[in-house]
Structure formats: C-alpha cells, structure tokens
Amino acid sequence: MPIPKRILLAALAISGAASFLLCGYEFIRAVSTSLFIEAYGAVNLPWVMFAVPPSTFLLLYVYGRILSRLGSSRALLLTSLLSAVLIGGSYSLLLRGVALATAFIYIFREAYIVLIIEQYWSLVNSTLSSVQARRINGPFCGIASLGAIAGGLLVRQLAEPMGSESLLLFAAGSLFPAAVCSGFAYALAGEPKPSEEEAGGKKGHVGLALFLKSRYLVLIALLILTTQTVSTVLDLRFNVLVEMERVNPDERTAFYGSFYAALNTTALLLQFLAVPLILRFVSLRAAHVGIPAVHLLTCAILTVKPSLWSGAAAFLLFKALDYSIFRSGKEIFYIPLSYDERYRVKQIIDTFGYRTAKGGSAGVLALVGLFTKIPAAAFSIVAMVMAAIWSVLVSMVTKRYQDLENVKSVENTDDAVKVQEMNENG
C-alpha cells in the first residue's frame, strides 16, 4: 500500500528539521570536547560526563511541564528556541574567559540534542504504522545525516581560521530553521492528542510511574543502558588516544570534524542502502542481534592492537550502526504504545537513559581511577562484555514487541468486524 503524500511530506519536513539540528550539533560537539580537554584534560572527561544525568533529568522535568501545558508541537518549538539562547549565552561566557563554561556547554550539548531529536521521533512514531516505519525510518535518518556530514566538514574547514569558540554560533543558529521545519511537519501530520486520562499530564508530567509499571519499557531502558555503556567506554578510549596524538587544540578540533564527517558518511550509506533492505527482508530480531556481534569483533581488535585508528574504527562503527540500523529498528518498538509512552516515557528511556548510562559508567570509571590506574585494555574488554549482554536483552525486547503487534492486529481486526456489522445493520 502506498504511503499517503501528506505523510511523506511530513516525514520529509521532520527529517529536514533533524538535518539542521544535527548540522549544528557537529559544531557544538567538536568545540565542546576540544575546549574541555584544553581546559581540564581528557582525564577529567568522566567527571563532566557524570554531571550529565542529573542535568538531563532537570531538563526532562521542565519539558514534561511544558508538554502538559502547551502540547507537543509548542513544547518542541519552545525547547528548540531556549536551547539556542543557552548556547549563545555559553559563547558569551567563553569570550570572557570563563573556563567553567566549557563544562556547561559539554553537559548541555549532551542533553539538548537528545531531548529535541526524541521529540522528532515521537511525532514519527505517532504518525507512521510499523510497515510504513520499516520503509521510511532509514531514509529519514539518512536525510538527517546529510546535515551532520555538512556540519562535520564545515567544522574541519572553519575551526582553525575562525577559532573554536566562534563555531558555537553555528550551533545556536541551526535551531531556528530546525524549528521552522518541525512546525511544518506538525502542520502536515497533525498534532497527536493524548487520551482523556493522559491529558494535561494526569498520569505524571515525566511519566516515571507509567514507565515502572511496564516490563516491556523497562527492558528497552536496560537495552539502552547497555548500548550506551559500550558507547561510553569506546568514547573515552578514543578521546584519550586523540589527546595523545593530536596535541594542538585547533588541530584536534579539525581532526574531530573529519572523524565525525567520516562517521556520518558511513551512517548515511547504511541509512539509505542497508536499512530499508534489512528492515524489509530480515526479521527485526536478527537485525538487532547482528549489531552487538559486530562490536564484539571491533573491540577484540582494539584490545589486541590498540592505536588511534583501531580506537577510531571501533567508535565509528558503533556510532554508525547506532545512527542507522539500531536507531531505525529501535523506534519501531514504540509504535504500538500510548501517547504518554511515546512522548513522556520515551524521553525517560532515550534521553535520560542514554545520558545516565554514559554519565553513570563514566562516573564509575572516574571513581575507580581515583584508587588505581585503569589498564587501557579494560575499556574495550568492558565493551565486549556489555555487547554480549546487549544481544540477550534485544532478543527479549523483540519478542515482546511482536507480542504487542499481534495483540494490536487482533484488536484492529475486531474493530473492523464491528464496523462492518454496524454498516450491515444500518
């Protein structure tokens, strides 16, 4: 069955918003990492990562109150504009030589990007059916990656002539066209409405109680915690290797720009070419289980032959698969769920959960590092252990998702029968 034109245009608009957002994010990601390392050293990255979860939860609470009061489209608009203001304010503080601003912008970049991108996905998951999502999610991610690639290339070209701090203005500016595109997407798709029991945040502004009641949602959260622990240890290992071989801060910023451009190009190829085919012809379970198998291999290579390039390859492949096959397949898990589960609980899992895993695992490493020197190989070994756990969890989640889809299919069939009977009875 062809996808309605209105739905295709809405998907194109929201993917355009994601493209602008991710373009700006490449500026803030490279700049914030480079400037923090310059101010405090890569060895202190775990401490700033540890501050991310509580900051993210505070941001989620504010978002939940806005969502209850204004609805999903206005909540997205307001959080986008406020993020632009805060990034611009951080730039001003950096110009005044406030070193602590490097920590703030690092923490904020971790929170705002997932808060906004997950709102985009909430609209997508509220608009598409599971069949439509299997066809659209990959190209949606691909269009978004075009912006990320452009951002990475611009960082590489502009970092040294303009200076790292000035690039933050590009990140702030990108949020304005992103807000315009997301507004068009909502106008085309229509704003999803909560049920009467959910309206106004009656079941909780954050959705924590609803989350704790669902074993399915808890399993998804555990899956995210596991995947992001892999991400964190590979991220930390990669940044230490970069610090060792790229000592000049502007040269380091340019290297990060090149690296993330390569990462996003790889993800783009997977999103446009691999994801639509895999999600159409391979079972969701097989697609998901194959991802941690790849990471087991790359982490084994990093353990045996550590270098900047083996570290970069392991981290690049993690991120590329995360942005493409994993992301496109994971979002399908939310389609059978309710409004609050898609707009509130999803934020707990995919915003707070992502950042808690990263900050929590980084905090554990920082505490251990206070008492003993952590062997370099420990990072990739931890990644291998978590990848093995990941494969078990994702098998459980995909099984429960299929059960939900079967129940939904039966309910839809029953509803169709009832409508037909009503029509026949006049």
Side-chain angles (χ1 to χ4, degrees):
M1 179 181 291
I3 300 173
K5 182 179 179 181
R6 176 180 59 85
I7 299 300
L8 285 174
L9 290 175
L12 182 62
I14 200 66
S15 61
S19 185
F20 280 112
L21 179 73
L22 293 177
C23 178
Y25 180 64
E26 292 307 312
F27 288 92
I28 194 172
R29 172 161 60 177
V31 170
S32 60
T33 302
S34 183
L35 291 182
F36 182 85
I37 289 174
E38 180 66 14
Y40 298 104
V43 69
N44 286 309
L45 277 171
W47 292 109
V48 74
M49 289 179 178
F50 191 61
V52 169
S55 304
T56 302
F57 189 82
L58 176 61
L59 193 63
L60 281 187
Y61 178 76
V62 173
Y63 159 76
R65 300 290 298 195
I66 295 172
L67 178 64
S68 298
R69 187 173 182 84
L70 300 180
S72 57
S73 62
R74 291 181 180 178
L76 176 55
L77 174 63
L78 190 56
T79 52
S80 298
L81 297 182
L82 286 176
S83 295
V85 170
L86 288 172
I87 294 170
S90 300
Y91 166 74
S92 179
L93 290 174
L94 288 171
L95 289 185
R96 290 178 171 86
V98 180
L100 195 60
T102 63
F104 173 82
I105 201 64
Y106 187 100
I107 293 168
F108 185 70
R109 81 139 202 237
E110 294 286 292
Y112 96 92
I113 186 64
V114 283
L115 175 70
I116 295 175
I117 204 75
E118 295 308 332
Q119 289 180 75
Y120 294 167
W121 277 111
S122 292
L123 175 61
V124 171
N125 296 337
S126 300
T127 303
L128 301 181
S129 67
S130 295
V131 174
Q132 291 170 339
R134 287 173 181 265
R135 296 168 60 185
I136 287 180
N137 281 6
F140 166 84
C141 293
I143 293 172
S145 287
L146 290 174
I149 293 168
L153 293 173
L154 286 170
V155 168
R156 184 176 66 183
Q157 295 298 319
L158 299 176
E160 296 187 65
M162 292 187 65
S164 297
E165 294 87 349
S166 299
L167 301 188
L168 290 176
L169 296 177
F170 289 87
S174 71
L175 286 156
F176 293 99
V180 172
C181 289
S182 63
F184 278 124
Y186 264 102
L188 290 163
E191 183 166 349
K193 300 297 182 183
S195 65
E196 186 176 341
E197 294 79 14
E198 297 171 314
K202 292 176 183 176
K203 292 187 175 181
H205 297 294
V206 178
L208 188 58
L210 188 62
F211 163 67
L212 294 173
K213 290 179 181 178
S214 171
R215 186 177 180 185
Y216 176 64
L217 292 170
V218 169
L219 280 173
I220 296 176
L222 290 174
L223 174 63
I224 296 306
L225 290 172
T226 304
T227 63
Q228 291 310 296
T229 300
V230 176
S231 177
T232 300
V233 293
L234 290 180
D235 190 356
L236 290 169
R237 183 71 178 120
F238 170 63
N239 280 302
V240 169
L241 291 167
V242 171
E243 184 185 31
M244 291 170 58
E245 298 198 25
R246 298 290 187 275
V247 294
N248 179 274
D250 289 335
E251 181 188 352
R252 190 163 54 236
T253 297
F255 174 81
Y256 279 124
S258 299
F259 170 80
Y260 286 114
L263 186 163
N264 289 314
T265 301
T266 304
L268 182 74
L269 294 174
L270 291 172
Q271 289 154 353
F272 278 115
L273 301 178
V275 173
L277 293 174
I278 289 172
L279 292 185
R280 184 173 181 180
F281 296 109
V282 179
S283 72
L284 201 58
R285 176 177 291 188
H288 271 293
V289 171
I291 298 171
V294 172
H295 301 323
L296 283 168
L297 176 61
T298 59
C299 290
I301 294 172
L302 177 58
T303 303
V304 175
K305 293 188 176 181
S307 69
L308 175 59
W309 300 112
S310 61
F315 189 47
L316 184 148
L317 280 173
F318 175 87
K319 286 294 187 181
L321 291 173
D322 186 54
Y323 293 163
S324 56
I325 301 171
F326 181 76
R327 163 65 86 169
S328 299
K330 174 183 70 71
E331 291 303 324
I332 296 174
F333 295 152
Y334 292 100
I335 291 176
L337 304 179
S338 69
Y339 176 92
D340 270 2
E341 289 169 327
R342 293 192 306 270
Y343 273 93
R344 299 183 195 275
V345 179
K346 177 174 171 54
Q347 290 286 354
I348 293 175
I349 296 172
D350 289 337
T351 298
F352 182 68
Y354 261 80
R355 294 326 188 198
T356 296
K358 189 170 185 177
S361 54
V364 169
L365 291 171
L367 289 173
V368 172
L370 289 176
F371 301 100
T372 183
K373 181 176 175 60
I374 301 175
F379 291 88
S380 50
I381 291 172
V382 168
M384 293 171 67
V385 172
M386 299 309 292
I389 297 172
W390 172 355
S391 63
V392 175
L393 284 171
V394 81
S395 295
M396 298 170 66
V397 172
T398 49
K399 173 63 170 62
R400 288 183 174 271
Y401 160 77
Q402 193 58 59
D403 292 341
L404 282 175
E405 279 290 288
N406 291 338
V407 169
K408 187 177 179 181
S409 178
V410 170
E411 289 175 348
N412 289 340
T413 301
D414 291 343
D415 289 341
V417 171
K418 289 177 183 177
V419 170
Q420 183 177 359
E421 289 176 348
M422 290 173 65
N423 291 336
E424 289 175 351
N425 294 330

